[in-house]
Amino acid sequence: MFDVEGRVAVVTGSSSGLGARFARVLHDHGARVVLAARRADRIEALAAELGDGRALAVPTDVADEAACAALIGATLDAFGTVDILVNNAAITRSMRALEETTEIFREVVEVNLVGLFTMAREAGRVMVENGRGSVVNIASALGLVGIGRIPQASYTASKGGVVNLTRELAAQWSRQGVRVNAIAPGWFLSEMTETLFAHERTQAFFDRTVPMQRPGTEGELDGVLLFLASDASSYVTGQTIAVDGGWTAV
């Protein structure tokens, strides 16, 4: 039921952290994987590590519309189709809203929301033509609630946009056999969050605010990724699944 054997998956932001993990998991379960990120050396090393001709590295900046189209073109040239898109590329800038410039806000939204839409549209064209496909957008628990204590207005706004964009694309494409869902991770250690995790008070914060009293481990996203990418979720679309130890439930 969770099989993705032989399917073609594009994973953006796969140069490190959760994105690299997503690529490995899909590859390990039989998919051919296209690795996309700005840091060419990182994705080329990952492609070499995965080996066996089922991994392709394509340097891509999702904020560049032409680069997104070229990524899908390279995927079609190499593997002939696109079955799965994991829209993971994102950036963040943590600062108080009163100090955040419009330029910074726009930069974050351009990558996290506009770039995600561009990738979904380019992959969606192929999927709609094929009459099947799964788009998995990586949102965030911070796109579901406000927090304030870790101020990042642009990031939360962009991820909130991802949540509702997921609903809208699902509503538009469901009749063509394309499902669109999102994962909203809570507190997971990654390159993006390592500064936060470095503080001793972080564990106290988890103990106080997360019902399970700990952050997540990267492997705890594997199941939901495979569920949404595969036919196990064949009647699921437009949904955002929070994987956050209960943080948004209280």
Side-chain angles (χ1 to χ4, degrees), residues 142-158:
L142 295 180
L144 301 172
V145 298
I147 182 171
R149 288 161 293 180
I150 306 174
Q152 41 193 337
S154 53
Y155 182 81
T156 59
S158 68

Side-chain angles (χ1 to χ4, degrees), residues 34-57:
V34 179
L35 311 166
R38 289 180 295 182
R39 293 177 291 188
D41 58 330
R42 295 278 193 95
I43 57 174
E44 287 166 1
L46 179 55
E49 173 192 325
L50 296 177
D52 73 16
R54 290 192 294 114
L56 173 69

